[in-house]
Amino acid sequence: MKILNLISIALRAISRNKMRTFLTMLGIIIGVASVISMLAIGQGSKESIEQQISEMGANMITILPSSGQQGGVRMDASSMQLLTVKDAEAIKKQAKNVANVSPFVSGSGQMIAGANNWPTSIQGVAPEFLEIRKMKVAEGGMFTQHDVRVSAKVCLVGTTVVKNLFPDGEQAIGKTVRFNKIPFIIIGVLEEKGTNTFGQDQDNIVLAPYTTVQKRILAINYLQNIYVSAVNESASAMAVAEVESILRSNTRLVSEGQDQFQVRSQQELISMFSSTSQMLTVLLAAIAGISLLVGGIGIMNIMFVSVTERTREIGLRMAVGGKGRNIMTQFLMEAVIVSVGGGILGVLLGVGISSLIGTFASWPISVSESSIILSFVVCTVIGIFFGWYPARKASALDPIEALRYE
């Protein structure tokens, strides 16, 4: 029997009970739509996280002290006085795969301009920090190495700080502001970056020379972190190895054979978040896939009913020369058409739901071709798997008994 004839006969049989066919397809429709929506949400979240981390500097490396004990008291890593400017200078001189190095210290407080004030954090950095973090200056300019050497009271501010300190749209460049009673002259405004995936406002920031923050704000002589950028993304692993080797040569940073520092690259963060996101996506898709299983069981149930209802038809076909394999192929074709038809409607519904979620919930959404292809493959397999046994039962009927069936 030709394939076109099989499809034609199957479509006529299906069209006799439109409502029953639609209700049978509904389980497949809901299952496919759920799977595509869950995969779109998971993939979109994964891509968004990777993009956010890349915007922070895909080849960025962070060096921070490990937690430890001082005087028998367990200290937090941020309060450990281990990293110094000399460590940053040693990395800059000796590491061949490192392009930029910036010491880092930070503190929080109130930024005041006239009658306006705003809670923010001030970050003490080197001029290379902008290149490491892929930040740009929208207005004005960055402070220089000379400003770092003389601990100049100059700063760059983010757009959130500008909007709250100068709500009337007044020009911020050249204005004197105070951070915890220390006066600073604004010499630059950073380009707006918005909120990152973790809900942090990247524009609520103040940058100043690290020496200024060390001496005038925090009154410390150590560094909280050191930021480094590799010469390129592919050299990140080699840069990490070089940094670890350089720091281990300093006996102050190694105690009882244990490193007193941690070196983290953006690639590690991307890998960690991607694996977590992938695991959650698979879990959500598996849960949604249960409805596909239920839909397949519905197809099997309806095909059994169809075989019972059309027993006399089957007997007549066999009586005029129809073979068992033809009968089996016919019913199997009906099951596949119902399954694939539900899959097509499910794909359309899933893409529509994903678009609505992205539009109204503002979630990152990414519908991939692989998820659509996978849905069609699964639907076809479900149609064959759950339609085979009813079709096999129809093909095994005895023609005489089938003709006598009432």
Side-chain angles (χ1 to χ4, degrees):
M1 187 179 291
K2 294 182 179 181
I3 188 69
L4 292 178
N5 289 337
L6 281 173
I7 294 175
S8 177
I9 295 170
L11 289 174
R12 285 201 300 272
I14 291 171
S15 63
R16 291 172 191 161
N17 297 282
K18 296 181 178 65
M19 181 56 68
R20 187 172 72 183
T21 300
F22 174 73
L23 293 176
T24 305
M25 294 168 63
L26 195 58
I28 300 295
I29 294 171
I30 294 173
V32 170
S34 301
V35 170
I36 287 181
S37 299
M38 293 302 101
L39 289 175
I41 292 173
Q43 185 65 25
S45 300
K46 177 183 175 181
E47 291 177 1
S48 178
I49 290 172
E50 290 178 352
Q51 181 183 356
Q52 291 283 353
I53 294 176
S54 295
E55 287 178 356
M56 293 169 60
N59 56 346
M60 184 178 75
I61 299 168
T62 306
I63 305 159
L64 58 160
S66 300
S67 58
Q69 291 187 355
Q70 288 187 356
V73 178
R74 191 72 179 177
M75 305 293 290
D76 183 73
S78 61
S79 61
M80 295 296 292
Q81 303 179 20
L82 293 172
L83 298 176
T84 65
V85 176
K86 290 183 178 179
D87 297 319
E89 292 174 346
I91 294 171
K92 189 172 184 177
K93 291 178 181 178
Q94 300 176 36
K96 296 180 181 179
N97 289 288
V98 168
N100 297 290
V101 179
S102 173
F104 180 90
V105 289
S106 69
S108 58
Q110 290 283 332
M111 182 69 81
I112 303 169
N116 299 313
N117 65 88
W118 181 250
T120 185
S121 63
I122 187 167
Q123 299 182 0
V125 297
E128 293 83 357
F129 185 75
L130 291 185
E131 179 63 28
I132 295 172
R133 289 292 305 273
K134 304 300 180 185
M135 302 172 76
K136 296 180 180 179
V137 179
E139 301 176 40
M142 184 61 171
F143 50 80
T144 64
Q145 289 291 352
H146 174 74
D147 295 322
V148 174
R149 286 194 297 270
V150 301
S151 305
K153 291 182 284 186
V154 294
C155 68
L156 288 83
V157 294
T159 54
T160 298
V161 178
V162 172
K163 291 174 183 177
N164 286 276
L165 293 184
F166 307 100
D168 298 328
E170 189 178 355
Q171 177 63 252
I173 305 296
K175 293 292 190 297
T176 299
V177 295
R178 286 177 292 133
F179 186 89
N180 292 354
K181 300 181 180 181
I182 306 298
F184 284 86
I185 298 175
I186 298 176
I187 61 172
V189 176
L190 296 168
E191 191 175 281
E192 187 172 359
K193 297 193 73 172
T195 304
N196 62 19
T197 304
F198 314 107
Q200 180 183 7
D201 183 1
Q202 300 179 92
D203 300 313
N204 186 20
I205 184 175
V206 179
L207 299 182
Y210 68 89
T211 51
T212 306
V213 178
Q214 274 184 313
K215 298 175 183 178
R216 304 182 187 277
I217 304 294
L218 302 176
I220 59 175
N221 60 0
Y222 61 92
L223 302 177
Q224 294 168 342
N225 292 337
I226 298 174
Y227 282 100
V228 173
S229 66
V231 290
N232 53 57
E233 193 172 339
S234 60
S236 291
M238 292 183 289
V240 168
E242 284 182 337
V243 168
E244 289 176 340
S245 176
I246 293 168
L247 294 179
R248 284 179 185 138
S249 65
N250 189 335
T251 55
R252 176 174 45 81
L253 296 175
V254 179
S255 176
E256 298 179 356
Q258 295 292 323
D259 293 337
Q260 299 300 298
F261 60 89
Q262 301 176 54
V263 181
R264 297 175 181 172
S265 69
Q266 294 296 83
Q267 299 303 314
E268 293 175 352
L269 285 176
I270 291 174
S271 176
M272 179 183 68
F273 282 115
S274 294
S275 60
T276 302
S277 177
Q278 189 70 28
M279 181 179 64
L280 291 175
T281 301
V282 171
L283 178 62
L284 291 173
I287 294 172
I290 294 175
S291 59
L292 277 175
L293 178 63
V294 174
I297 295 172
I299 289 176
M300 178 182 282
N301 182 47
I302 291 303
M303 292 308 299
F304 272 127
V305 173
S306 181
V307 170
T308 303
E309 289 180 345
R310 296 161 61 188
T311 301
R312 287 178 62 83
E313 176 190 332
I314 295 169
L316 183 60
R317 289 179 181 276
M318 288 183 170
V320 296
K323 297 181 179 180
R325 65 173 180 270
N326 299 132
I327 303 298
M328 181 177 178
T329 305
Q330 176 190 337
F331 279 88
L332 195 59
M333 181 63 69
E334 292 179 21
V336 171
I337 289 175
V338 170
S339 181
V340 173
I344 293 172
L345 295 176
V347 168
L348 296 175
L349 181 62
V351 172
I353 290 174
S354 299
S355 299
L356 290 175
I357 292 174
T359 301
F360 293 103
S362 298
W363 289 3
I365 299 295
S366 177
V367 180
S368 62
E369 294 180 0
S370 59
S371 65
I372 295 176
I373 294 172
L374 177 64
S375 298
F376 278 116
V377 172
V378 170
C379 287
T380 304
V381 170
I382 285 176
I384 295 173
F385 181 80
F386 287 99
W388 179 84
Y389 187 71
R392 179 73 181 83
K393 180 183 177 182
S395 68
L397 288 174
D398 182 84
I400 303 301
E401 294 297 327
L403 286 171
R404 290 176 179 175
Y405 184 79
E406 294 294 338

